[in-house]
Amino acid sequence: MDTVLLQIKNDKAYKLIQDLEALSIVKILGKDNKPKENLHKRFRSFLNLTDEEFQQSVIDGRGNSNNS
């Protein structure tokens, strides 16, 4: 069997999928309600840099990799 990831756009669609599960056609593996955090926000806060410092760090990092 294949596993697919679906984005449910309304409650009627979710109810339909639940009905398919009740008929043993599909299986709902889980429901993730939390929004995905952008990686740049997570790493910027981890590094404790301002937006400008973070952007400059990215630019500097790209410049160093081109010299190899």
Side-chain angles (χ1 to χ4, degrees), residues 17-35:
I17 293 172
Q18 288 176 320
D19 291 343
L20 291 173
E21 184 179 40
L23 294 169
S24 298
I25 296 172
V26 300
K27 179 176 175 143
I28 299 172
L29 299 176
K31 185 175 180 180
D32 185 11
N33 290 329
K34 65 180 182 176

